[in-house]
Structures are given as structure tokens and as C-alpha cells.
Amino acid sequence: MPLFHRQFIAALLFACLSLAAQGQTLRIVSEAWPPYIHDDNGVLRGLDYETAQIVLQRLGVEVEWQLLPWRRCLMALEQGHADGILDIFRTPEREALMLFPSEPLSQIEFVLFYAKANPHPFQRLTDLRGLKIGVSPGYWYNNRDFRESELFTREPAPSHAANFGKLVRKRVDLVINDRRGGRFILAQTGLDEHIRHHPRVISRDKMYLGLRRNAGLDQLAQRFASELRRFKHEPAYAALKARYNSPDRTRLAVQPPGKTANH
């Protein structure tokens, strides 16, 4: 068989395999992180979840969603139990395991939250000496000095809301979280009356839909980025952002100050 024919058949087979892979149900995991993705009485909602869902529907891709603790999300992707992970930061280490569409879902800013009853002035890293800071296990903070500092201790919590609950009970001194996400959670739990955040930004980063590498999803990553950019220029996306920038104070399962809870 001539070389040209063999190359043509190989290319055709590759295209068919890619289309077949895209025709399968895509398994995507993420951790609950309002307002980007969360469970609202059994219904998934959130800025990035709804954005990704709209884009994938336009591409004709069926999706199976699952919320897990963050470390389990990473393990599921690494072990091949998931095809994608929603709202993950792009790092050189992760690029060895994942494909990242060129367009991010969201851009975020990490800041330090404090209890009004127990404020801790913060201007520079040395101001954190001896403090206990609530963090999310497995999260990447795009500030090497903060990430590797030994001036303070890190206290993980099972959820973002639990971190804020510990803050008002003085079990941690500060909590690091995304500005938008933190404000949304505080409004939902009623803790916005008790917690504020410092204006200084610890780190800025972008969140992506990470897809499992070597799983025939390369074309999907390119198509997702293209359609996502298109959707971001539509009025529907502007309305979606506005809705999640102004959260309703619907209560989550977080204890108010003065009550005990096991976290």
C-alpha cells in the first residue's frame, strides 16, 4: 500500500477515535466551592459549573458530574476514574497529567480573611509570624513565599465553609480563600457580619477545566476553549456573572458563633 494511503487511513482512524471519545459520557469531578460549583439542595449550580455545562452542551458532550474532596478529585483523575476536573490551577507538574484548554473559566484572587472580634493586622509576610492559618488541603497558592513560608502554621479543614466556622470560634487566626468565593460563602452562612478580609492580595491565579492526558481528549480541549471564549462575549455570560457576584443569604450548614460543631 502506498505511503500516502497508509497516512490517510491512519489520520482517518485517529479522527474516528477522537470523535468516538468525544461521544462518550465525560466524567468530571470537582470540589464544592461556591460560587463556582456547589450543591444547592441536590442540584448543582455555580458560575464555572454552569458555564462549563453550557459550553459542553453546545459541543454535544454528555457529562457525568461528581463532587468530591479536592485530594480525591486529584486521585480520581490520576487513576483514570475521571476524565476531567473542574476549577484547577495550571502548574508545570499538572501539565504532565492533564490537558488545559487555552481559555480559563475564572480568574481569582486569594486574600486573608479575619474575624472582626479577633483582627490580625497584615501588611507583609512577617506579620503572620506565629499565627495559625486555615487552608484547603491539596490547594495550590500561586505565591512561592507564602506557599513555602515557615513563619506560620497551616490548619486544613474539610470544606471552605468549615474553615470560616473555625475562624469565628478562634480555632484559626486567619483563613486564606478566594475573595469572591469567600464573600459568597459568608453571605450564605450569615457569617459576613463577623468576618472581613484584608485588602492585600496574596496571589492571583486562573482556574481551568483540566482534562486527562492521553485519553483522546486533545480536540475536545481545543473546541472547549474556542466555544468558551465565544460564550464569554454573550449577554448570557454577563448575566451569569452578575448573579453569582451578588449572592442571596441562603443558609448553609455552618454553625453560627457561640455554638459547637465537629470539624
Side-chain angles (χ1 to χ4, degrees):
M1 181 182 296
L3 177 61
F4 171 78
H5 288 168
R6 292 200 300 269
Q7 291 175 335
F8 175 78
I9 292 173
L12 184 61
L13 287 173
F14 177 79
C16 291
L17 288 172
S18 298
L19 291 172
Q22 293 173 19
Q24 297 174 357
T25 299
L26 199 68
R27 301 165 299 172
I28 300 181
V29 295
S30 187
E31 182 186 43
W33 190 6
Y36 303 105
I37 180 171
H38 61 106
D39 187 317
D40 183 6
N41 294 319
V43 178
L44 286 181
R45 301 190 190 279
L47 174 60
D48 289 351
Y49 162 75
E50 293 177 46
T51 297
Q53 183 77 327
I54 289 170
V55 171
L56 290 168
Q57 284 179 347
R58 291 182 177 184
L59 297 177
V61 178
E62 294 186 4
V63 185
E64 176 185 304
W65 297 89
Q66 186 177 15
L67 294 182
L68 298 170
W70 188 245
R71 285 181 173 171
R72 286 184 59 191
C73 290
L74 297 173
M75 289 178 58
L77 197 72
E78 183 177 352
Q79 296 172 358
H81 301 312
D83 303 307
I85 182 167
L86 186 77
D87 285 345
I88 187 167
F89 303 137
R90 186 173 185 170
T91 67
E93 293 79 11
R94 289 171 176 171
E95 286 182 336
L97 298 173
M98 304 178 205
L99 298 168
F100 290 90
S102 56
E103 182 71 18
L105 285 160
S106 290
Q107 300 189 48
I108 65 171
E109 294 182 338
F110 278 108
V111 296
L112 290 172
F113 288 81
Y114 63 91
K116 290 173 62 178
N118 191 33
H120 290 281
F122 170 67
Q123 294 293 333
R124 55 189 62 85
L125 202 61
T126 53
D127 294 333
L128 305 180
R129 189 184 303 275
L131 298 183
K132 184 182 293 185
I133 298 181
V135 300
S136 299
Y139 270 54
W140 167 269
Y141 301 106
N142 192 21
N143 179 327
R144 184 173 181 178
D145 291 338
F146 177 88
R147 194 170 65 245
E148 299 181 356
S149 176
E150 298 180 357
L151 292 171
F152 54 87
T153 58
R154 296 158 179 81
E155 179 78 17
S159 70
H160 300 286
N163 250 333
F164 289 124
K166 292 168 68 174
L167 182 60
V168 295
R169 287 187 289 275
K170 298 183 180 181
R171 292 177 58 183
V172 295
D173 300 302
L174 297 165
V175 165
I176 184 168
N177 208 314
D178 166 49
R179 188 198 309 270
R180 177 196 282 147
R183 286 176 171 175
F184 191 94
I185 293 170
L186 293 175
Q188 288 187 315
T189 59
L191 295 179
D192 52 340
E193 299 176 359
H194 306 278
I195 296 177
R196 296 288 185 270
H197 66 78
H198 290 291
R200 181 178 174 182
V201 176
I202 297 294
S203 65
R204 294 179 173 85
D205 217 325
K206 298 176 181 179
M207 297 197 295
Y208 293 83
L209 171 64
L211 296 171
R212 186 159 53 93
R213 190 174 286 279
N214 301 323
L217 300 173
D218 302 62
Q219 290 187 3
L220 177 59
Q222 296 175 15
R223 295 170 63 216
F224 182 87
S226 178
E227 190 60 38
L228 176 57
R229 279 191 291 268
R230 185 178 296 110
F231 177 57
K232 283 184 175 181
H233 287 91
E234 297 179 11
Y237 180 71
L240 193 61
K241 285 185 65 177
R243 174 152 55 91
Y244 284 107
N245 283 335
S246 302
D248 295 328
R249 292 186 60 174
T250 53
R251 303 290 172 172
L252 291 178
V254 175
Q255 300 281 2
K259 295 185 179 180
T260 58
N262 296 321
H263 292 297

